[in-house]
């Protein structure tokens, strides 16, 4: 997928997020499972470094321009927002499949202390930017999905490398829009987190 020449800029330039109006685009948040149990700081720093490397590699394979994405560190995870020119369903499939593949490859060589399990949440909506970063209801909804106890339990019970939750709005748009995602690969889940009551759609990689 090609982007306009204006998007071939250094990673520090977040120009596609406008300070005067919300930009409608796709948002993703990644969280390292059981990060708090890794009490050694060097292990935590290694896990964070590997997480960023795997996300960037999966973006490259999927042709999502990581260097142009807006991203924020979240300590035990990361937020990234793609330019609006990137089709929303690219962050479902093939991105999730590519992230799972590179994560599985990493984990084959990782020891118990450095093994990575990731949770991924994806949503679409308006993103507001100010001098301090990004905000808006879409961001709140994204992190409610990521932090929902039901999703955390599901991710832990699968014992796989990756679990992804997709907002009901994004899932509906992707399935009704004739995208390439397989609806049968998603499981409906009622989500309750703080003031949010909604439905999410959980995807886990196929068992091998």
């Amino acid at each position: 997928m090609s982007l306009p020449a204006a998007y071939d800029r250094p990673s520090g330039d977040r120009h596609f997020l406008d300070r005067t109006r919300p930009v409608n685009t796709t948002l993703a948040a990644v969280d390292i499972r059981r990060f708090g149990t890794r009490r050694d700081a060097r292990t935590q720093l290694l896990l964070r470094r590997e997480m960023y490397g795997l996300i960037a590699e999966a973006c490259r394979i999927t042709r999502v321009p990581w260097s142009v994405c807006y991203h924020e560190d979240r300590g035990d995870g990361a937020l990234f927002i793609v330019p609006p020119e990137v089709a929303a369903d690219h962050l479902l499939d093939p991105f999730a499949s590519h992230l799972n593949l590179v994560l599985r490859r990493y984990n084959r060589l990782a020891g118990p202390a450095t093994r990575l399990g990731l949770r991924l949440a994806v949503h679409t909506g308006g993103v507001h930017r100010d001098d301090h970063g990004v905000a808006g209801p879409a961001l709140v909804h994204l992190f409610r999905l990521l932090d929902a106890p039901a999703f955390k339990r599901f991710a832990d019970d699968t014992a796989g490398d990756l679990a992804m939750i997709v907002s009901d709005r994004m899932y509906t748009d992707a399935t009704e829009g004739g995208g390439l995602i397989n609806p049968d690969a998603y499981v409906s889940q009622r989500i309750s987190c703080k003031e949010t009551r909604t439905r999410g759609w959980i995807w886990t990689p196929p068992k091998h």
Side-chain angles (χ1 to χ4, degrees):
M1 176 179 177
S2 60
L3 289 172
Y7 283 89
D8 186 17
R9 297 186 180 181
S11 60
D13 188 347
R14 315 302 186 195
H15 67 288
F16 72 87
L17 291 178
D18 197 320
R19 293 175 185 268
T20 63
R21 60 180 178 81
V23 175
N24 195 64
T25 189
T26 309
L27 313 80
V30 180
D31 184 76
I32 299 173
R33 288 160 50 191
R34 299 190 178 95
F35 186 79
T37 65
R38 325 291 178 94
R39 299 186 183 277
D40 177 67
R42 287 181 297 180
T43 301
Q44 292 184 346
L45 289 170
L46 183 148
L47 293 175
R48 284 163 45 82
R49 183 176 69 245
E50 295 297 336
M51 175 197 70
Y52 275 109
L54 294 171
I55 294 171
E57 184 177 1
C59 282
R60 179 183 58 79
I61 299 170
T62 313
R63 303 192 69 184
V64 171
W66 173 252
S67 64
V68 186
C69 292
Y70 177 93
H71 40 87
E72 289 183 0
D73 184 69
R74 294 293 172 127
D76 59 353
L79 162 72
F80 66 101
I81 303 169
V82 305
E85 285 75 13
V86 176
D89 57 7
H90 272 47
L91 267 292
L92 306 185
D93 197 2
F95 175 78
S97 295
H98 291 158
L99 180 58
N100 179 63
L101 287 174
V102 297
L103 179 58
R104 187 190 305 161
R105 183 190 65 199
Y106 164 80
N107 279 334
R108 284 198 189 109
L109 301 176
T114 56
R115 184 176 179 85
L116 267 174
L118 298 179
R119 296 197 317 275
L120 169 67
V122 186
H123 182 39
T124 184
V127 178
H128 300 255
R129 182 186 176 195
D130 62 17
D131 292 340
H132 306 287
V134 291
L139 268 296
V140 173
H141 193 81
L142 176 74
F143 281 98
R144 294 294 184 265
L145 293 173
L146 184 70
D147 295 335
F151 178 45
K152 290 182 177 181
R153 287 193 299 270
F154 190 103
D156 288 342
D157 291 345
T158 63
D161 297 319
L162 175 68
M164 174 176 68
I165 188 166
V166 179
S167 69
D168 191 47
R169 171 183 173 181
M170 187 164 186
Y171 175 84
T172 300
D173 288 348
T175 53
E176 292 182 353
L180 298 177
I181 75 166
N182 175 15
D184 294 335
Y186 292 77
V187 176
S188 175
Q189 176 68 59
R190 294 301 303 174
I191 295 299
S192 177
C193 185
K194 296 187 177 179
E195 74 285 348
T196 298
R197 304 291 183 273
T198 188
R199 180 181 302 278
W201 295 86
I202 299 176
W203 174 92
T204 53
K207 303 286 186 183
H208 292 284

